[in-house]
PDB file of all heavy atoms in Angstrom:
ATOM      1  N   ARG A 984     -13.989  19.652  16.615  1.00 87.00           N
ATOM      2  CA  ARG A 984     -14.507  18.271  16.325  1.00 87.00           C
ATOM      3  C   ARG A 984     -16.049  18.389  15.832  1.00 87.00           C
ATOM      4  O   ARG A 984     -16.243  17.617  14.885  1.00 87.00           O
ATOM      5  CB  ARG A 984     -14.387  17.361  17.495  1.00 87.00           C
ATOM      6  CG  ARG A 984     -13.061  17.032  17.911  1.00 87.00           C
ATOM      7  CD  ARG A 984     -12.821  15.967  19.039  1.00 87.00           C
ATOM      8  NE  ARG A 984     -11.397  15.652  19.192  1.00 87.00           N
ATOM      9  CZ  ARG A 984     -10.697  16.217  19.965  1.00 87.00           C
ATOM     10  NH1 ARG A 984     -11.072  17.222  20.826  1.00 87.00           N
ATOM     11  NH2 ARG A 984      -9.339  15.828  20.069  1.00 87.00           N
ATOM     12  N   GLN A 985     -16.751  19.230  16.452  1.00 88.00           N
ATOM     13  CA  GLN A 985     -18.079  19.380  15.950  1.00 88.00           C
ATOM     14  C   GLN A 985     -18.105  19.980  14.512  1.00 88.00           C
ATOM     15  O   GLN A 985     -18.894  19.599  13.749  1.00 88.00           O
ATOM     16  CB  GLN A 985     -18.940  20.160  16.929  1.00 88.00           C
ATOM     17  CG  GLN A 985     -20.405  20.348  16.517  1.00 88.00           C
ATOM     18  CD  GLN A 985     -21.115  18.905  16.413  1.00 88.00           C
ATOM     19  OE1 GLN A 985     -21.095  18.183  17.384  1.00 88.00           O
ATOM     20  NE2 GLN A 985     -21.690  18.646  15.250  1.00 88.00           N
ATOM     21  N   SER A 986     -17.278  20.925  14.357  1.00 90.00           N
ATOM     22  CA  SER A 986     -17.197  21.623  13.022  1.00 90.00           C
ATOM     23  C   SER A 986     -16.921  20.719  11.977  1.00 90.00           C
ATOM     24  O   SER A 986     -17.401  20.761  10.834  1.00 90.00           O
ATOM     25  CB  SER A 986     -16.275  22.831  13.080  1.00 90.00           C
ATOM     26  OG  SER A 986     -14.979  22.469  13.247  1.00 90.00           O
ATOM     27  N   ARG A 987     -15.874  19.710  12.290  1.00 88.00           N
ATOM     28  CA  ARG A 987     -15.534  18.656  11.296  1.00 88.00           C
ATOM     29  C   ARG A 987     -16.573  17.721  11.023  1.00 88.00           C
ATOM     30  O   ARG A 987     -16.782  17.193   9.962  1.00 88.00           O
ATOM     31  CB  ARG A 987     -14.229  18.054  11.694  1.00 88.00           C
ATOM     32  CG  ARG A 987     -12.976  18.950  11.694  1.00 88.00           C
ATOM     33  CD  ARG A 987     -11.825  18.213  12.305  1.00 88.00           C
ATOM     34  NE  ARG A 987     -10.807  19.103  12.815  1.00 88.00           N
ATOM     35  CZ  ARG A 987      -9.768  18.852  13.480  1.00 88.00           C
ATOM     36  NH1 ARG A 987      -9.527  17.612  13.775  1.00 88.00           N
ATOM     37  NH2 ARG A 987      -8.929  19.706  13.897  1.00 88.00           N
ATOM     38  N   ALA A 988     -17.451  17.486  12.015  1.00 87.00           N
ATOM     39  CA  ALA A 988     -18.511  16.544  11.908  1.00 87.00           C
ATOM     40  C   ALA A 988     -19.555  17.179  11.060  1.00 87.00           C
ATOM     41  O   ALA A 988     -20.418  16.449  10.495  1.00 87.00           O
ATOM     42  CB  ALA A 988     -19.140  16.151  13.244  1.00 87.00           C
ATOM     43  N   ASN A 989     -19.603  18.437  10.936  1.00 91.00           N
ATOM     44  CA  ASN A 989     -20.536  19.150  10.092  1.00 91.00           C
ATOM     45  C   ASN A 989     -20.263  19.135   8.599  1.00 91.00           C
ATOM     46  O   ASN A 989     -21.051  19.673   7.847  1.00 91.00           O
ATOM     47  CB  ASN A 989     -20.793  20.637  10.483  1.00 91.00           C
ATOM     48  CG  ASN A 989     -21.321  20.753  11.881  1.00 91.00           C
ATOM     49  OD1 ASN A 989     -21.975  19.843  12.499  1.00 91.00           O
ATOM     50  ND2 ASN A 989     -21.178  21.924  12.500  1.00 91.00           N
ATOM     51  N   ILE A 990     -19.129  18.641   8.250  1.00 92.00           N
ATOM     52  CA  ILE A 990     -18.647  18.656   6.905  1.00 92.00           C
ATOM     53  C   ILE A 990     -18.167  17.313   6.445  1.00 92.00           C
ATOM     54  O   ILE A 990     -17.570  16.609   7.265  1.00 92.00           O
ATOM     55  CB  ILE A 990     -17.500  19.774   6.781  1.00 92.00           C
ATOM     56  CG1 ILE A 990     -17.387  20.143   5.315  1.00 92.00           C
ATOM     57  CG2 ILE A 990     -16.318  19.403   7.434  1.00 92.00           C
ATOM     58  CD1 ILE A 990     -16.484  21.405   5.208  1.00 92.00           C
ATOM     59  N   GLY A 991     -18.374  16.998   5.156  1.00 92.00           N
ATOM     60  CA  GLY A 991     -17.760  15.803   4.594  1.00 92.00           C
ATOM     61  C   GLY A 991     -16.922  16.272   3.393  1.00 92.00           C
ATOM     62  O   GLY A 991     -17.312  17.094   2.607  1.00 92.00           O
ATOM     63  N   ILE A 992     -15.566  15.762   3.303  1.00 91.00           N
ATOM     64  CA  ILE A 992     -14.715  16.351   2.413  1.00 91.00           C
ATOM     65  C   ILE A 992     -14.241  15.144   1.479  1.00 91.00           C
ATOM     66  O   ILE A 992     -13.810  14.135   2.030  1.00 91.00           O
ATOM     67  CB  ILE A 992     -13.437  16.986   3.080  1.00 91.00           C
ATOM     68  CG1 ILE A 992     -13.909  18.264   3.784  1.00 91.00           C
ATOM     69  CG2 ILE A 992     -12.356  17.259   2.023  1.00 91.00           C
ATOM     70  CD1 ILE A 992     -12.838  19.008   4.370  1.00 91.00           C
ATOM     71  N   VAL A 993     -14.361  15.385   0.162  1.00 90.00           N
ATOM     72  CA  VAL A 993     -13.864  14.407  -0.774  1.00 90.00           C
ATOM     73  C   VAL A 993     -12.544  14.904  -1.235  1.00 90.00           C
ATOM     74  O   VAL A 993     -12.530  15.881  -2.073  1.00 90.00           O
ATOM     75  CB  VAL A 993     -14.985  14.314  -1.961  1.00 90.00           C
ATOM     76  CG1 VAL A 993     -14.368  13.204  -2.993  1.00 90.00           C
ATOM     77  CG2 VAL A 993     -16.251  13.832  -1.364  1.00 90.00           C
ATOM     78  N   PRO A 994     -11.434  14.323  -1.082  1.00 86.00           N
ATOM     79  CA  PRO A 994     -10.173  14.893  -1.427  1.00 86.00           C
ATOM     80  C   PRO A 994      -9.915  14.638  -2.816  1.00 86.00           C
ATOM     81  O   PRO A 994     -10.544  13.803  -3.574  1.00 86.00           O
ATOM     82  CB  PRO A 994      -9.165  14.173  -0.449  1.00 86.00           C
ATOM     83  CG  PRO A 994      -9.785  12.824  -0.213  1.00 86.00           C
ATOM     84  CD  PRO A 994     -11.359  13.172  -0.132  1.00 86.00           C
ATOM     85  N   GLN A 995      -8.919  15.283  -3.470  1.00 81.00           N
ATOM     86  CA  GLN A 995      -8.631  15.143  -4.790  1.00 81.00           C
ATOM     87  C   GLN A 995      -7.867  13.823  -5.021  1.00 81.00           C
ATOM     88  O   GLN A 995      -7.895  13.168  -6.014  1.00 81.00           O
ATOM     89  CB  GLN A 995      -7.701  16.292  -5.209  1.00 81.00           C
ATOM     90  CG  GLN A 995      -7.322  16.265  -6.736  1.00 81.00           C
ATOM     91  CD  GLN A 995      -6.603  17.522  -7.135  1.00 81.00           C
ATOM     92  OE1 GLN A 995      -6.473  18.528  -6.440  1.00 81.00           O
ATOM     93  NE2 GLN A 995      -6.094  17.461  -8.338  1.00 81.00           N
ATOM     94  N   GLU A 996      -6.967  13.386  -4.021  1.00 81.00           N
ATOM     95  CA  GLU A 996      -6.270  12.194  -4.096  1.00 81.00           C
ATOM     96  C   GLU A 996      -7.125  11.009  -3.803  1.00 81.00           C
ATOM     97  O   GLU A 996      -8.000  10.997  -2.974  1.00 81.00           O
ATOM     98  CB  GLU A 996      -5.095  12.253  -2.976  1.00 81.00           C
ATOM     99  CG  GLU A 996      -4.085  13.398  -3.270  1.00 81.00           C
ATOM    100  CD  GLU A 996      -4.573  14.696  -2.684  1.00 81.00           C
ATOM    101  OE1 GLU A 996      -5.654  14.724  -2.011  1.00 81.00           O
ATOM    102  OE2 GLU A 996      -3.974  15.662  -3.055  1.00 81.00           O
ATOM    103  N   LEU A 997      -6.792   9.913  -4.494  1.00 80.00           N
ATOM    104  CA  LEU A 997      -7.648   8.703  -4.339  1.00 80.00           C
ATOM    105  C   LEU A 997      -6.958   7.872  -3.168  1.00 80.00           C
ATOM    106  O   LEU A 997      -6.281   7.026  -3.471  1.00 80.00           O
ATOM    107  CB  LEU A 997      -7.442   7.854  -5.666  1.00 80.00           C
ATOM    108  CG  LEU A 997      -8.327   8.455  -6.921  1.00 80.00           C
ATOM    109  CD1 LEU A 997      -8.008   7.567  -8.110  1.00 80.00           C
ATOM    110  CD2 LEU A 997      -9.762   8.414  -6.461  1.00 80.00           C
ATOM    111  N   ASN A 998      -7.257   8.287  -1.934  1.00 80.00           N
ATOM    112  CA  ASN A 998      -6.724   7.692  -0.808  1.00 80.00           C
ATOM    113  C   ASN A 998      -7.742   6.522  -0.325  1.00 80.00           C
ATOM    114  O   ASN A 998      -8.472   6.626   0.646  1.00 80.00           O
ATOM    115  CB  ASN A 998      -6.447   8.654   0.302  1.00 80.00           C
ATOM    116  CG  ASN A 998      -7.700   9.531   0.665  1.00 80.00           C
ATOM    117  OD1 ASN A 998      -8.702   9.414   0.003  1.00 80.00           O
ATOM    118  ND2 ASN A 998      -7.635  10.356   1.554  1.00 80.00           N
ATOM    119  N   ILE A 999      -7.553   5.393  -1.141  1.00 80.00           N
ATOM    120  CA  ILE A 999      -8.423   4.196  -0.762  1.00 80.00           C
ATOM    121  C   ILE A 999      -7.552   3.157  -0.144  1.00 80.00           C
ATOM    122  O   ILE A 999      -6.496   2.812  -0.757  1.00 80.00           O
ATOM    123  CB  ILE A 999      -9.128   3.761  -2.131  1.00 80.00           C
ATOM    124  CG1 ILE A 999      -9.997   4.898  -2.652  1.00 80.00           C
ATOM    125  CG2 ILE A 999      -9.884   2.482  -1.734  1.00 80.00           C
ATOM    126  CD1 ILE A 999     -11.175   5.231  -1.820  1.00 80.00           C
ATOM    127  N   ASP A1000      -8.081   2.517   0.729  1.00 83.00           N
ATOM    128  CA  ASP A1000      -7.260   1.336   1.426  1.00 83.00           C
ATOM    129  C   ASP A1000      -7.534   0.053   0.606  1.00 83.00           C
ATOM    130  O   ASP A1000      -8.555  -0.417   0.319  1.00 83.00           O
ATOM    131  CB  ASP A1000      -7.782   1.022   2.837  1.00 83.00           C
ATOM    132  CG  ASP A1000      -7.556   2.286   3.798  1.00 83.00           C
ATOM    133  OD1 ASP A1000      -6.354   2.279   4.295  1.00 83.00           O
ATOM    134  OD2 ASP A1000      -8.463   3.103   3.989  1.00 83.00           O
ATOM    135  N   ALA A1001      -6.313  -0.374   0.028  1.00 85.00           N
ATOM    136  CA  ALA A1001      -6.443  -1.458  -1.038  1.00 85.00           C
ATOM    137  C   ALA A1001      -7.063  -2.727  -0.339  1.00 85.00           C
ATOM    138  O   ALA A1001      -7.642  -3.551  -1.234  1.00 85.00           O
ATOM    139  CB  ALA A1001      -5.057  -1.771  -1.509  1.00 85.00           C
ATOM    140  N   PHE A1002      -6.910  -3.135   0.838  1.00 88.00           N
ATOM    141  CA  PHE A1002      -7.307  -4.350   1.402  1.00 88.00           C
ATOM    142  C   PHE A1002      -8.641  -4.293   2.182  1.00 88.00           C
ATOM    143  O   PHE A1002      -8.965  -5.106   2.988  1.00 88.00           O
ATOM    144  CB  PHE A1002      -6.169  -4.977   2.273  1.00 88.00           C
ATOM    145  CG  PHE A1002      -5.035  -5.261   1.499  1.00 88.00           C
ATOM    146  CD1 PHE A1002      -3.858  -4.438   1.391  1.00 88.00           C
ATOM    147  CD2 PHE A1002      -4.876  -6.486   0.633  1.00 88.00           C
ATOM    148  CE1 PHE A1002      -2.779  -4.638   0.654  1.00 88.00           C
ATOM    149  CE2 PHE A1002      -3.722  -6.669  -0.087  1.00 88.00           C
ATOM    150  CZ  PHE A1002      -2.696  -5.906  -0.064  1.00 88.00           C
ATOM    151  N   PHE A1003      -9.331  -3.222   2.056  1.00 91.00           N
ATOM    152  CA  PHE A1003     -10.657  -3.098   2.554  1.00 91.00           C
ATOM    153  C   PHE A1003     -11.679  -3.187   1.491  1.00 91.00           C
ATOM    154  O   PHE A1003     -11.381  -2.465   0.423  1.00 91.00           O
ATOM    155  CB  PHE A1003     -10.942  -1.817   3.402  1.00 91.00           C
ATOM    156  CG  PHE A1003     -10.240  -1.868   4.728  1.00 91.00           C
ATOM    157  CD1 PHE A1003      -8.892  -1.717   4.898  1.00 91.00           C
ATOM    158  CD2 PHE A1003     -11.082  -2.019   5.950  1.00 91.00           C
ATOM    159  CE1 PHE A1003      -8.395  -1.829   6.194  1.00 91.00           C
ATOM    160  CE2 PHE A1003     -10.523  -2.063   7.092  1.00 91.00           C
ATOM    161  CZ  PHE A1003      -9.139  -2.019   7.277  1.00 91.00           C
ATOM    162  N   THR A1004     -12.775  -3.822   1.573  1.00 92.00           N
ATOM    163  CA  THR A1004     -13.908  -3.596   0.698  1.00 92.00           C
ATOM    164  C   THR A1004     -14.631  -2.279   0.762  1.00 92.00           C
ATOM    165  O   THR A1004     -14.480  -1.654   1.792  1.00 92.00           O
ATOM    166  CB  THR A1004     -14.860  -4.727   0.804  1.00 92.00           C
ATOM    167  OG1 THR A1004     -15.601  -4.591   2.085  1.00 92.00           O
ATOM    168  CG2 THR A1004     -14.186  -6.105   0.827  1.00 92.00           C
ATOM    169  N   PRO A1005     -15.386  -1.832  -0.182  1.00 92.00           N
ATOM    170  CA  PRO A1005     -16.219  -0.560  -0.034  1.00 92.00           C
ATOM    171  C   PRO A1005     -17.035  -0.668   1.068  1.00 92.00           C
ATOM    172  O   PRO A1005     -17.245   0.324   1.892  1.00 92.00           O
ATOM    173  CB  PRO A1005     -16.978  -0.588  -1.296  1.00 92.00           C
ATOM    174  CG  PRO A1005     -16.127  -1.135  -2.302  1.00 92.00           C
ATOM    175  CD  PRO A1005     -15.360  -2.281  -1.580  1.00 92.00           C
ATOM    176  N   ARG A1006     -17.759  -1.781   1.430  1.00 92.00           N
ATOM    177  CA  ARG A1006     -18.600  -1.901   2.591  1.00 92.00           C
ATOM    178  C   ARG A1006     -17.736  -1.693   3.943  1.00 92.00           C
ATOM    179  O   ARG A1006     -18.242  -1.022   4.824  1.00 92.00           O
ATOM    180  CB  ARG A1006     -19.296  -3.373   2.629  1.00 92.00           C
ATOM    181  CG  ARG A1006     -20.350  -3.355   3.679  1.00 92.00           C
ATOM    182  CD  ARG A1006     -20.956  -4.823   3.794  1.00 92.00           C
ATOM    183  NE  ARG A1006     -21.293  -5.380   2.441  1.00 92.00           N
ATOM    184  CZ  ARG A1006     -22.544  -5.087   1.889  1.00 92.00           C
ATOM    185  NH1 ARG A1006     -23.445  -4.263   2.533  1.00 92.00           N
ATOM    186  NH2 ARG A1006     -22.729  -5.541   0.712  1.00 92.00           N
ATOM    187  N   GLU A1007     -16.683  -2.456   3.984  1.00 93.00           N
ATOM    188  CA  GLU A1007     -15.798  -2.273   5.256  1.00 93.00           C
ATOM    189  C   GLU A1007     -15.192  -0.870   5.399  1.00 93.00           C
ATOM    190  O   GLU A1007     -15.160  -0.337   6.473  1.00 93.00           O
ATOM    191  CB  GLU A1007     -14.661  -3.226   5.073  1.00 93.00           C
ATOM    192  CG  GLU A1007     -15.025  -4.695   5.281  1.00 93.00           C
ATOM    193  CD  GLU A1007     -13.942  -5.738   4.897  1.00 93.00           C
ATOM    194  OE1 GLU A1007     -12.979  -5.281   4.298  1.00 93.00           O
ATOM    195  OE2 GLU A1007     -13.870  -6.796   5.349  1.00 93.00           O
ATOM    196  N   THR A1008     -14.910  -0.273   4.283  1.00 92.00           N
ATOM    197  CA  THR A1008     -14.376   1.092   4.222  1.00 92.00           C
ATOM    198  C   THR A1008     -15.495   2.055   4.908  1.00 92.00           C
ATOM    199  O   THR A1008     -15.214   2.996   5.789  1.00 92.00           O
ATOM    200  CB  THR A1008     -13.922   1.586   2.921  1.00 92.00           C
ATOM    201  OG1 THR A1008     -12.985   0.710   2.356  1.00 92.00           O
ATOM    202  CG2 THR A1008     -13.585   3.054   2.860  1.00 92.00           C
ATOM    203  N   LEU A1009     -16.684   1.947   4.348  1.00 93.00           N
ATOM    204  CA  LEU A1009     -17.842   2.866   4.872  1.00 93.00           C
ATOM    205  C   LEU A1009     -18.085   2.566   6.357  1.00 93.00           C
ATOM    206  O   LEU A1009     -18.361   3.532   7.079  1.00 93.00           O
ATOM    207  CB  LEU A1009     -19.003   2.616   3.982  1.00 93.00           C
ATOM    208  CG  LEU A1009     -18.933   3.042   2.491  1.00 93.00           C
ATOM    209  CD1 LEU A1009     -20.277   3.014   1.799  1.00 93.00           C
ATOM    210  CD2 LEU A1009     -18.270   4.473   2.332  1.00 93.00           C
ATOM    211  N   ASP A1010     -18.036   1.318   6.696  1.00 92.00           N
ATOM    212  CA  ASP A1010     -18.345   0.943   8.137  1.00 92.00           C
ATOM    213  C   ASP A1010     -17.209   1.441   9.016  1.00 92.00           C
ATOM    214  O   ASP A1010     -17.577   1.951  10.086  1.00 92.00           O
ATOM    215  CB  ASP A1010     -18.473  -0.651   8.211  1.00 92.00           C
ATOM    216  CG  ASP A1010     -19.872  -1.088   8.064  1.00 92.00           C
ATOM    217  OD1 ASP A1010     -20.818  -0.252   8.201  1.00 92.00           O
ATOM    218  OD2 ASP A1010     -19.966  -2.262   7.712  1.00 92.00           O
ATOM    219  N   MET A1011     -16.000   1.398   8.581  1.00 91.00           N
ATOM    220  CA  MET A1011     -14.954   1.819   9.275  1.00 91.00           C
ATOM    221  C   MET A1011     -15.006   3.423   9.579  1.00 91.00           C
ATOM    222  O   MET A1011     -14.945   3.949  10.634  1.00 91.00           O
ATOM    223  CB  MET A1011     -13.574   1.549   8.655  1.00 91.00           C
ATOM    224  CG  MET A1011     -12.320   1.967   9.421  1.00 91.00           C
ATOM    225  SD  MET A1011     -11.998   1.157  10.904  1.00 91.00           S
ATOM    226  CE  MET A1011     -11.575  -0.381  10.372  1.00 91.00           C
ATOM    227  N   MET A1012     -15.353   4.131   8.468  1.00 90.00           N
ATOM    228  CA  MET A1012     -15.451   5.551   8.556  1.00 90.00           C
ATOM    229  C   MET A1012     -16.551   5.922   9.543  1.00 90.00           C
ATOM    230  O   MET A1012     -16.532   6.861  10.207  1.00 90.00           O
ATOM    231  CB  MET A1012     -15.626   6.201   7.257  1.00 90.00           C
ATOM    232  CG  MET A1012     -14.393   6.142   6.335  1.00 90.00           C
ATOM    233  SD  MET A1012     -12.947   7.106   7.065  1.00 90.00           S
ATOM    234  CE  MET A1012     -13.739   8.833   6.984  1.00 90.00           C
ATOM    235  N   ALA A1013     -17.716   5.313   9.406  1.00 90.00           N
ATOM    236  CA  ALA A1013     -18.904   5.513  10.170  1.00 90.00           C
ATOM    237  C   ALA A1013     -18.495   5.250  11.604  1.00 90.00           C
ATOM    238  O   ALA A1013     -18.832   6.144  12.508  1.00 90.00           O
ATOM    239  CB  ALA A1013     -20.033   4.663   9.757  1.00 90.00           C
ATOM    240  N   GLY A1014     -17.682   4.184  11.925  1.00 89.00           N
ATOM    241  CA  GLY A1014     -17.369   3.955  13.282  1.00 89.00           C
ATOM    242  C   GLY A1014     -16.334   5.038  13.825  1.00 89.00           C
ATOM    243  O   GLY A1014     -16.483   5.443  14.961  1.00 89.00           O
ATOM    244  N   LEU A1015     -15.484   5.605  12.993  1.00 87.00           N
ATOM    245  CA  LEU A1015     -14.637   6.616  13.423  1.00 87.00           C
ATOM    246  C   LEU A1015     -15.385   7.816  13.738  1.00 87.00           C
ATOM    247  O   LEU A1015     -14.932   8.696  14.564  1.00 87.00           O
ATOM    248  CB  LEU A1015     -13.496   6.843  12.302  1.00 87.00           C
ATOM    249  CG  LEU A1015     -12.507   5.655  12.225  1.00 87.00           C
ATOM    250  CD1 LEU A1015     -11.631   5.994  10.993  1.00 87.00           C
ATOM    251  CD2 LEU A1015     -11.671   5.419  13.425  1.00 87.00           C
ATOM    252  N   PHE A1016     -16.522   8.094  13.065  1.00 86.00           N
ATOM    253  CA  PHE A1016     -17.322   9.355  13.405  1.00 86.00           C
ATOM    254  C   PHE A1016     -18.327   8.952  14.414  1.00 86.00           C
ATOM    255  O   PHE A1016     -19.063   9.888  14.775  1.00 86.00           O
ATOM    256  CB  PHE A1016     -18.049   9.807  12.063  1.00 86.00           C
ATOM    257  CG  PHE A1016     -17.256  10.691  11.232  1.00 86.00           C
ATOM    258  CD1 PHE A1016     -16.673  10.178  10.027  1.00 86.00           C
ATOM    259  CD2 PHE A1016     -17.113  12.002  11.644  1.00 86.00           C
ATOM    260  CE1 PHE A1016     -15.906  11.084   9.319  1.00 86.00           C
ATOM    261  CE2 PHE A1016     -16.265  12.880  10.778  1.00 86.00           C
ATOM    262  CZ  PHE A1016     -15.720  12.371   9.618  1.00 86.00           C
ATOM    263  N   GLY A1017     -18.264   7.741  15.033  1.00 86.00           N
ATOM    264  CA  GLY A1017     -19.055   7.491  16.132  1.00 86.00           C
ATOM    265  C   GLY A1017     -20.560   7.227  15.822  1.00 86.00           C
ATOM    266  O   GLY A1017     -21.383   7.356  16.643  1.00 86.00           O
ATOM    267  N   VAL A1018     -20.732   6.781  14.537  1.00 88.00           N
ATOM    268  CA  VAL A1018     -22.203   6.514  14.234  1.00 88.00           C
ATOM    269  C   VAL A1018     -22.480   5.013  14.639  1.00 88.00           C
ATOM    270  O   VAL A1018     -21.835   4.108  14.321  1.00 88.00           O
ATOM    271  CB  VAL A1018     -22.374   6.471  12.616  1.00 88.00           C
ATOM    272  CG1 VAL A1018     -23.826   6.369  12.262  1.00 88.00           C
ATOM    273  CG2 VAL A1018     -21.862   7.887  12.072  1.00 88.00           C
ATOM    274  N   PRO A1019     -23.479   4.857  15.527  1.00 89.00           N
ATOM    275  CA  PRO A1019     -23.761   3.566  16.023  1.00 89.00           C
ATOM    276  C   PRO A1019     -24.186   2.608  14.839  1.00 89.00           C
ATOM    277  O   PRO A1019     -24.701   3.003  13.744  1.00 89.00           O
ATOM    278  CB  PRO A1019     -25.016   3.732  16.833  1.00 89.00           C
ATOM    279  CG  PRO A1019     -24.985   5.154  17.273  1.00 89.00           C
ATOM    280  CD  PRO A1019     -24.259   5.924  16.097  1.00 89.00           C
ATOM    281  N   LYS A1020     -23.914   1.312  14.980  1.00 88.00           N
ATOM    282  CA  LYS A1020     -24.133   0.351  13.804  1.00 88.00           C
ATOM    283  C   LYS A1020     -25.575   0.314  13.339  1.00 88.00           C
ATOM    284  O   LYS A1020     -25.916   0.226  12.243  1.00 88.00           O
ATOM    285  CB  LYS A1020     -23.779  -1.046  14.310  1.00 88.00           C
ATOM    286  CG  LYS A1020     -22.199  -1.267  14.322  1.00 88.00           C
ATOM    287  CD  LYS A1020     -21.893  -2.730  14.612  1.00 88.00           C
ATOM    288  CE  LYS A1020     -20.408  -2.978  14.607  1.00 88.00           C
ATOM    289  NZ  LYS A1020     -19.991  -4.316  14.931  1.00 88.00           N
TER     290      LYS A1020
END
């Protein structure tokens, strides 16, 4: 888990959630990584 936290990966596939805004998407990802608001 720590090794994955040391890296950010941009995949080749455009795996974007259609019903989230960019702001919500980034906030969601930050929350999943445990970054405080």
Side-chain angles (χ1 to χ4, degrees):
R984 292 186 176 90
Q985 183 61 55
S986 68
R987 292 176 203 169
N989 292 343
I990 195 170
I992 295 181
V993 180
Q995 185 175 349
E996 299 79 12
L997 291 173
N998 52 358
I999 301 295
D1000 295 278
F1002 295 99
F1003 282 77
T1004 67
R1006 189 187 307 280
E1007 291 169 337
T1008 297
L1009 297 187
D1010 273 337
M1011 179 70 72
M1012 286 300 294
L1015 294 173
F1016 274 103
V1018 184
K1020 287 187 176 181

